[in-house]
């Protein structure tokens, strides 16, 4: 059995859920592993059975375990059954930044951003002019890199709303949740992008003009700035880890 730790806050099942989630994501509880029975888990963790039951139900809702009535609770492969809500947790695994996850986030950001901009141009057009230009104005009114990133997120939030796609909206929410807590650390990398007000204006002009093809190209040029910078940083990190 994995080395479970006793839970100190007995009234909060969130800690049980987090510990089990950590075990699944970090590989201590591999796919196909049968978890101990509720009673045994409760004893090991030092919590009540209802707390364990709630945590297991939450894991089942996320798709990370399969709970059989009267049978074992089996761990599932999170890569095949997990959702985008796992991204923030996957960024740091076993105390280390997972550079592969960071690359995936940046790649998805680049790819999805282009399509979202094209949809916004097609579906919203001139209706987005005021919010987008106001976001750019806020972006250029500060030199603080973290504030610039937040204004850039505001800009893209308007673009996503203009795309009028619930799927892209939810994807944006999860991608944002994955890297927003690390804005301080990302300041230098994303500075290559958020400092280019002209590129944001080009995206805005294309969207307002209702030109999906131009909006897509302009968004790609803008988002590729940070993507390329991040790729170089990750290459250096990987090389340092191997040496």
């Amino acid at each position: 059995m994995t080395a479970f730790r006793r839970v100190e806050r007995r009234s909060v099942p969130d800690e049980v859920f987090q510990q089990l989630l950590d075990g699944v994501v970090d590989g201590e509880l591999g796919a196909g592993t049968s978890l101990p029975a509720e009673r045994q888990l409760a004893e090991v963790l030092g919590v009540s059975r209802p707390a364990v039951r709630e945590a297991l139900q939450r894991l089942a809702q996320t798709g990370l375990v399969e709970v059989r009535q009267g049978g074992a609770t089996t761990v599932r492969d999170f890569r095949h059954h997990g959702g985008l809500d796992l991204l923030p947790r996957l960024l740091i695994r076993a105390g280390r930044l997972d550079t592969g996850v960071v690359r995936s986030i940046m790649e998805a950001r680049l790819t999805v951003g282009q399509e979202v901009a094209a949809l916004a141009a097609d579906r919203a057009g001139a209706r987005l002019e005021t919010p987008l230009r106001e976001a750019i104005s806020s972006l250029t009114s500060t030199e603080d890199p973290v504030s610039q990133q937040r204004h850039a997120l505001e800009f893209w939030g308007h673009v996503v709303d203009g795309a009028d796609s619930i799927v892209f909206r939810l994807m944006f929410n999860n991608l944002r949740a994955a890297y927003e807590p690390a804005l301080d650390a990302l300041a230098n990398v994303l500075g290559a992008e958020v400092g280019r007000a002209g590129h944001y204006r080009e995206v805005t002009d294309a969207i307002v003009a209702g030109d999906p093809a131009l909006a897509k190209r302009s968004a790609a040029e803008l988002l590729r700035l940070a993507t390329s910078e991040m790729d170089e940083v990750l290459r250096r990190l990987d090389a340092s880890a191997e040496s």
Side-chain angles (χ1 to χ4, degrees), residues 17 53-67 76 81-83 85:
F17 171 79
R53 188 175 303 119
E54 180 178 336
L56 290 175
Q57 289 173 347
R58 289 175 59 188
L59 278 176
Q61 289 170 357
T62 63
L64 299 184
V65 299
E66 181 180 7
V67 181
R76 307 173 81 182
H81 300 283
D85 55 306

Side-chain angles (χ1 to χ4, degrees), residues 4-143:
F4 291 115
R5 305 177 302 280
R6 288 185 67 84
V7 172
E8 298 302 325
R9 297 175 61 191
R10 297 171 186 260
S11 62
V12 184
D14 288 358
E15 295 191 24
V16 179
F17 171 79
Q18 189 61 53
Q19 193 171 150
L20 292 172
L21 176 63
D22 290 346
V24 172
V25 172
D26 291 337
E28 293 181 13
L29 298 171
T33 300
S34 292
L35 295 180
E38 280 184 12
R39 179 177 297 175
Q40 187 178 0
L41 270 176
E43 291 175 354
V44 172
L45 297 170
V47 299
S48 66
R49 288 184 66 179
V52 170
R53 188 175 303 119
E54 180 178 336
L56 290 175
Q57 289 173 347
R58 289 175 59 188
L59 278 176
Q61 289 170 357
T62 63
L64 299 184
V65 299
E66 181 180 7
V67 181
R68 295 189 179 92
Q69 188 68 29
T73 298
T74 307
V75 176
R76 307 173 81 182
D77 188 339
F78 72 85
R79 295 172 183 80
H80 294 164
H81 300 283
L84 283 173
D85 55 306
L86 282 180
L87 279 177
R89 176 59 189 80
L90 292 174
L91 273 173
I92 304 295
R93 299 175 67 184
R96 298 184 60 183
L97 178 70
D98 190 320
T99 57
V101 173
V102 178
R103 279 196 181 89
S104 294
I105 291 173
M106 297 302 289
E107 289 167 356
R109 181 174 176 269
L110 173 62
T111 302
V112 172
Q114 300 177 50
E115 300 303 328
V116 166
L119 283 176
D122 182 54
R123 296 175 177 175
R127 296 201 309 274
L128 286 180
E129 182 167 17
T130 296
L132 291 182
R133 297 204 188 283
E134 287 179 349
I136 295 173
S137 178
S138 297
L139 176 66
T140 57
S141 67
T142 178
E143 295 183 358

Side-chain angles (χ1 to χ4, degrees), residues 142-159:
T142 178
E143 295 183 358
D144 176 65
V146 174
S147 295
Q148 288 179 331
Q149 292 174 72
R150 295 194 185 283
H151 292 310
L153 285 171
E154 179 186 0
F155 175 92
W156 283 107
H158 292 310
V159 176

